[in-house]
Amino acid sequence: MIAEIGLAVLWMAAALAVLQLFAGFSALRPGGKALAGMVRPLAVMQGLLVALSFLALIDLFLETDLSVKLVAENSHSMKPFIFKLAGTWGNHEGSMLLWVTIMAVSGGVVALVEKRLREDTLLATLAGQAFVSLGFYAFLLLSSNPFERLPEPAPEGAGLNPLLQDIGLAFHPPTLYVGYVGLSVAFSFAIGALITRDVGPAFARAMRPWVLGAWIFLTVGITAGSYWAYYTLGWGGWWFWDPVENASLMPWLAATALLHSASVLASRNALRAWTVMLGVIAFSMSMVGTFLVRSGILTSVHAFAVDPERGSFILALLAIYIGGALALFGIRASTVTEGERFSLFSREASLVFNNVMLCGILGIVLLGTLYPLMTEAFGAKVSVGPPYFNPVSAIFAIPMMLMMGVGPLLRWRKDKPARITATVAIPALITALALLAVVVFAPGIRILPMLGIAVGAGLAIASWLPLNGRNLRRTPLSVWGMVVGHFGLGVALLGAASESAFSTERLAAMNVGDTQSVGPISLKLLSIEPVAGPNWTALEATVSASYKGGPAVTLHPQARTFSSPPGERTESALHTRWNGQLYAVLGNEGDDGRWQMRFWWKPFVPLLWLGGLLVAFGGLLALIGRVAQDVKRLRVNDKIAFRKARQDMLK
Amino acid sequence: MNSKVTGGIKPKHQRLVLLLIALVALIGAGLLAAYALSNQASYFYVPADLAKAPPEQGRAIRLGGMVEKGSLKTRADGVTIDFIVGDGKARIPVRYTGITPDLFVEGSGVVAEGRMEGNTFVADNLLAKHDENYVPRQMGEMTAEQAKQVVAETQ
């Protein structure tokens, strides 16, 4: 019964989306005002219905209702509770329902709380959101129905891919999706503003918090995903330039650019067409990512099922939405009037520079991701990896990060270089000193990590300089957000560069009782014993580790064997210190009875994820600051309007 | 219009200049990417291709084929293995230091990522079939003919 309710509610929501699109559009036509009042309630209702449908699917997974095809194929009655719950979106259909849920709910939230935008632009935006949602409703209902029943209930479920049976599954996909799909709001805003020709500071101020919100989730999602890959794959790497990782990075790059250009539009009424364009590109990148992942043309642990029909469906959606939005942009871009001008030496110019750099990185990642597909058309099988992505993206990333040290110090519109030279000298000196120190004390490390350490150190310092000369108590939260966000990026860069430059690895075959060392850490294999979990058995090694002869800690790396579905997974063990992380992996038993063990000492690697979280935290501060500002402004406006109305009455 | 603050640039021109800069940067990025891709993309080889037209030394490539039966030897350090990857036409010696994937055994298919050093392929990473449901994409990259040969060889 639950499955039927879920499906029915989903169809109803799709019907409401049709109504919402129709009502929104006719409300914009002359004489269509009668329907204008319907649009907001429709959007809210639609969000509620889809959320209900998603809850129904969660319930089916929690109960392990094996008469539902999706549950039978992806769940198992013996699975721990948390994976039954997270298993809801650990498959193609469930994750698409999550996608549609987030899209509809964010549309509903916009309808409920957005009061800054001009009413006609808001109606156009909600109509746009309904239009985009419709494609995904069609995709879900016609080719990926999550509620399909089996003719006869399965005796037992097939279980979940062992690689996904990790606590990361509970957090990483939902966070990433909120960010990914949250960008659809920016897309709809851009469409709405193009339709009503309302591209201006008020529009940018209204759009900014939505972009910020999505961007924060995207940042957290990417950071969490990177950490998950790091500890679960057992290769000690944190970013593999896997197409799926790129699919999440590309919307992030576009959203970062959008965030900054929206700032320029909101404060200075410049970069109008550019901002709208980025709004379109950001969500387009989300859709391209989904296409790459879900069409089956790229296979990875993220591609649940290879189904060419689905691939063509998403490709068609992609063509309609991206093509349509770009066409609309082409038609309307010339009517978006000229923005304010600025000098080549100004805050705007620095933001333009970094926008272009971000787009350059975006282009490079996109080309690198699509290249294997393009060559495959000509029969050559290639793969593109770090030797391409690292240096080529650094060519754009390094100037961008240098500019990040300067830009926030500049004044809007026009500034003199002489005013900031003394301030910029501090981080410049630190960058030079860091570079010198690395060259002198750690010769032989490669050029990219070397530059990374120098630029990261400079940026970490430079990010605080905009606070120089400000009264810290009266500094707006959004400025703090910028400072913390930029600082976070510097910290992350330091962590990444240090990991790449100074990691040491030890690979050894060990008997119980043998000792080894990696970097400053001495290790001893104490025992290897079998252990068992709810749906797996494992061999667990006990290793004691001591840092420079200090007190010993024990680590328990495991090699797990899963029963349903059958599969193996290494469970690495980590020990985190303030200055680095020890990473231990248990391998196979050799013919001579020795165990393969792999250890890494990675100095300062936790800074990488700490930096990522700081970036997100900076975004959160900015979001709180902006929303508080807007609420205040709305209150003041209300008050003024109220007084005015009273005065009119008295007259 | 007031041109004092902007150094005398007309608004139309400002937009044009910005557009030009952005275009130059993006086209530059495109050219750079195209150049780097042609140099850095790693190609997929089977032993026969590798023997016929060997790539330059040290270039990142991938090698796919079957692990020859009886060829797998572990060195004294316990973590370095030597084996031979063949496809029925050519045989390539491979060296790998590290923990082998669970289903890496003699007589099974493997894709190795690495480079040629002398006549030996030095692998950084081995991808083996994980289980029936989760096959590394690279395993599927052999052309139908290559796959048929490989299968024929193992039977």
Side-chain angles (χ1 to χ4, degrees):
Chain A
M1 197 54 198
I2 300 280
E4 283 68 33
I5 293 177
L7 186 60
V9 167
L10 196 60
W11 274 104
M12 272 151 74
L16 288 191
V18 176
L19 258 171
Q20 184 182 332
L21 174 64
F22 173 73
F25 259 100
S26 38
L28 290 175
R29 301 202 154 273
K33 284 279 172 277
L35 291 172
M38 274 174 66
V39 178
R40 281 190 194 239
L42 275 175
V44 176
M45 273 297 286
Q46 188 204 331
L48 286 176
L49 285 180
V50 180
L52 198 64
S53 165
F54 188 59
L55 286 179
L57 190 65
I58 290 182
D59 183 67
L60 291 173
F61 267 85
L62 290 184
E63 282 180 17
T64 319
D65 183 341
L66 293 168
S67 65
V68 174
K69 192 168 165 229
L70 187 67
V71 179
E73 282 177 356
N74 294 289
S75 200
H76 192 278
S77 55
M78 292 297 287
K79 216 162 54 170
F81 173 81
I82 182 80
F83 299 132
K84 283 185 180 171
L85 174 69
T88 311
W89 51 79
N91 54 72
H92 170 76
E93 288 83 353
S95 67
M96 285 319 293
L97 182 59
L98 177 63
W99 170 291
V100 170
T101 306
I102 294 168
M103 204 166 206
V105 168
S106 52
V109 175
V110 170
L112 211 55
V113 307
E114 184 55 67
K115 299 212 168 65
R116 295 156 296 193
L117 208 57
R118 234 168 61 187
E119 193 60 24
D120 59 337
T121 311
L122 183 80
L123 292 180
T125 300
L126 289 177
Q129 186 81 3
F131 182 56
V132 179
S133 306
L134 268 178
F136 289 91
Y137 279 120
F139 181 56
L140 197 59
L141 289 166
L142 302 181
S143 90
S144 321
N145 176 10
F147 296 106
E148 192 179 332
R149 291 266 189 194
L150 287 171
E152 261 173 52
E156 184 49 276
L160 181 68
N161 180 352
L163 270 179
L164 294 180
Q165 295 197 29
D166 186 283
I167 190 69
L169 182 66
F171 302 105
H172 164 67
T175 348
L176 205 58
Y177 262 45
V178 171
Y180 229 57
V181 186
L183 287 176
S184 67
V185 175
F187 184 85
S188 303
F189 264 77
I191 290 180
L194 278 175
I195 290 174
T196 59
R197 299 185 172 88
D198 175 29
V199 184
F203 155 76
R205 268 200 293 275
M207 176 163 87
R208 189 163 49 180
W210 299 105
V211 180
L212 252 175
W215 180 84
I216 293 166
F217 276 99
L218 208 47
T219 311
V220 172
I222 292 174
T223 308
S226 155
Y227 193 63
W228 186 11
Y230 169 76
Y231 75 72
T232 207
L233 290 180
W235 297 342
W238 53 275
W239 192 266
F240 302 94
W241 294 107
D242 183 89
V244 176
E245 291 172 325
N246 297 347
S248 70
L249 181 64
M250 291 188 289
W252 186 86
L253 290 166
T256 310
L258 173 60
L259 210 59
H260 289 83
S261 81
S263 249
V264 175
L265 181 52
S267 319
R268 288 285 307 141
N269 194 12
L271 303 187
R272 295 167 155 218
W274 180 251
T275 305
V276 173
M277 182 73 182
L278 282 176
V280 170
I281 288 180
F283 184 61
S284 299
M285 285 300 136
S286 297
M287 289 195 282
V288 168
T290 310
F291 168 67
L292 289 177
V293 177
R294 288 304 148 73
S295 59
I297 53 175
L298 301 168
T299 309
S300 78
V301 77
H302 292 81
F304 298 112
V306 181
D307 185 343
E309 183 202 336
R310 285 175 184 161
S312 338
F313 206 125
I314 303 186
L315 193 61
L317 288 183
L318 220 63
I320 294 172
Y321 291 133
I322 302 180
L326 290 181
L328 182 66
F329 180 79
I331 296 165
R332 286 290 165 89
S334 54
T335 68
V336 173
T337 46
E338 208 62 59
E340 296 285 325
R341 286 162 294 156
F342 48 86
S343 124
L344 276 182
F345 199 78
S346 64
R347 173 90 63 97
E348 291 96 318
S350 74
L351 284 165
V352 166
F353 179 83
N354 273 7
N355 255 265
V356 171
M357 292 296 124
L358 280 168
C359 291
I361 301 174
L362 175 61
I364 278 160
V365 176
L366 184 64
L367 281 174
T369 311
L370 295 180
Y371 187 70
L373 297 180
M374 296 191 271
T375 57
E376 208 160 325
F378 300 102
K381 318 244 169 184
V382 304
S383 75
V384 179
Y388 162 76
F389 286 106
N390 288 347
V392 182
S393 57
I395 291 176
F396 287 83
I398 288 174
M400 179 185 86
M401 294 196 206
L402 291 177
M403 185 58 95
M404 279 170 69
V406 182
L409 299 170
L410 293 173
R411 287 191 175 141
W412 291 113
R413 205 155 75 166
K414 186 171 171 57
D415 206 345
K416 292 193 189 69
R419 200 181 64 81
I420 60 157
T421 10
T423 329
V424 172
I426 305 168
L429 195 69
I430 290 189
T431 306
L433 282 179
L435 195 59
L436 191 71
V438 179
V439 171
V440 172
F441 294 114
I445 67 172
R446 278 162 301 133
I447 181 103
L448 277 182
M450 202 183 269
L451 287 175
I453 289 172
V455 174
L459 177 58
I461 301 295
S463 57
W464 295 95
L465 294 178
L467 293 177
N468 184 24
R470 272 179 183 269
N471 179 342
L472 292 188
R473 284 206 195 144
R474 314 188 102 204
T475 304
L477 261 186
S478 52
V479 173
W480 279 107
M482 173 190 75
V483 167
V484 172
H486 287 182
F487 175 68
L489 192 65
V491 169
L493 182 61
L494 275 177
S498 164
E499 194 269 342
S500 156
F502 304 123
S503 281
T504 46
E505 181 186 353
R506 173 75 64 195
L507 186 65
M510 297 172 81
N511 282 314
V512 171
D514 281 358
T515 55
Q516 276 293 342
S517 70
V518 58
I521 292 184
S522 47
L523 302 148
K524 185 171 187 188
L525 180 59
L526 296 179
S527 68
I528 299 221
E529 270 159 18
V531 289
N535 56 350
W536 49 264
T537 56
L539 284 168
E540 183 179 273
T542 304
V543 179
S544 81
S546 110
Y547 181 84
K548 291 187 175 163
V553 290
T554 48
L555 284 85
H556 300 282
Q558 296 177 342
R560 283 190 188 174
T561 307
F562 286 80
S563 47
S564 53
E568 324 234 338
R569 193 180 89 200
T570 58
E571 192 77 2
S572 57
L574 298 169
H575 170 59
T576 311
R577 290 175 51 85
W578 68 271
N579 60 349
Q581 207 165 39
L582 173 68
Y583 189 120
V585 178
L586 172 64
N588 309 316
E589 187 179 14
D591 301 331
D592 53 1
R594 288 188 298 173
W595 293 88
Q596 293 180 335
M597 302 282 309
R598 194 168 198 176
F599 302 99
W600 282 275
W601 167 247
K602 293 173 175 289
F604 297 106
V605 69
L607 289 185
L608 178 57
W609 303 289
L610 183 71
L613 291 181
L614 276 174
V615 172
F617 182 64
L620 185 65
L621 286 181
L623 179 63
I624 294 172
R626 295 292 181 210
V627 170
Q629 243 174 22
D630 285 340
V631 168
K632 213 175 181 179
R633 191 175 291 146
L634 280 178
R635 275 217 190 118
V636 171
N637 285 349
D638 279 357
K639 226 179 245 173
I640 292 172
F642 179 69
R643 280 195 194 135
K644 211 174 162 194
R646 215 169 45 180
Q647 271 174 357
D648 287 347
M649 265 183 35
L650 287 176
K651 271 178 202 164
Chain B
M1 284 199 96
N2 179 6
S3 59
K4 254 184 286 173
V5 280
T6 54
I9 305 172
K10 283 186 185 156
K12 260 256 159 60
H13 291 173
Q14 166 131 33
R15 191 185 249 196
L16 218 63
V17 167
L18 286 179
L19 201 69
L20 221 66
I21 294 173
L23 268 182
V24 166
L26 290 182
I27 290 171
L31 290 178
L32 192 72
Y35 172 75
L37 277 171
S38 64
N39 281 304
Q40 301 291 359
S42 104
Y43 283 80
F44 181 84
Y45 286 84
V46 291
D49 299 342
L50 208 54
K52 216 187 311 166
E56 55 191 290
Q57 296 276 315
R59 186 184 168 131
I61 56 169
R62 284 167 304 138
L63 169 67
M66 305 305 284
V67 181
E68 204 166 273
K69 283 196 174 133
S71 71
L72 184 64
K73 286 183 188 65
T74 309
R75 292 192 184 178
D77 66 358
V79 287
T80 304
I81 52 171
D82 293 285
F83 56 94
I84 288 174
V85 167
D87 62 352
K89 286 182 183 163
R91 307 163 72 234
I92 305 287
V94 179
R95 186 173 83 230
Y96 172 69
T97 305
I99 295 173
T100 54
D102 300 306
L103 291 177
F104 174 81
V105 284
E106 289 182 344
S108 73
V110 71
V111 171
E113 298 176 335
R115 63 195 55 75
M116 290 305 288
E117 285 181 14
N119 288 323
T120 308
F121 184 89
V122 179
D124 304 321
N125 199 9
L126 296 181
L127 306 161
K129 198 177 164 205
H130 204 264
D131 65 43
E132 304 91 277
N133 299 321
Y134 304 103
V135 184
R137 170 180 163 76
Q138 284 83 350
M139 290 297 291
E141 284 191 350
M142 294 182 221
T143 60
E145 192 199 356
Q146 289 162 349
K148 218 187 293 165
Q149 288 164 358
V150 165
V151 171
E153 190 196 7
T154 48
Q155 281 166 350

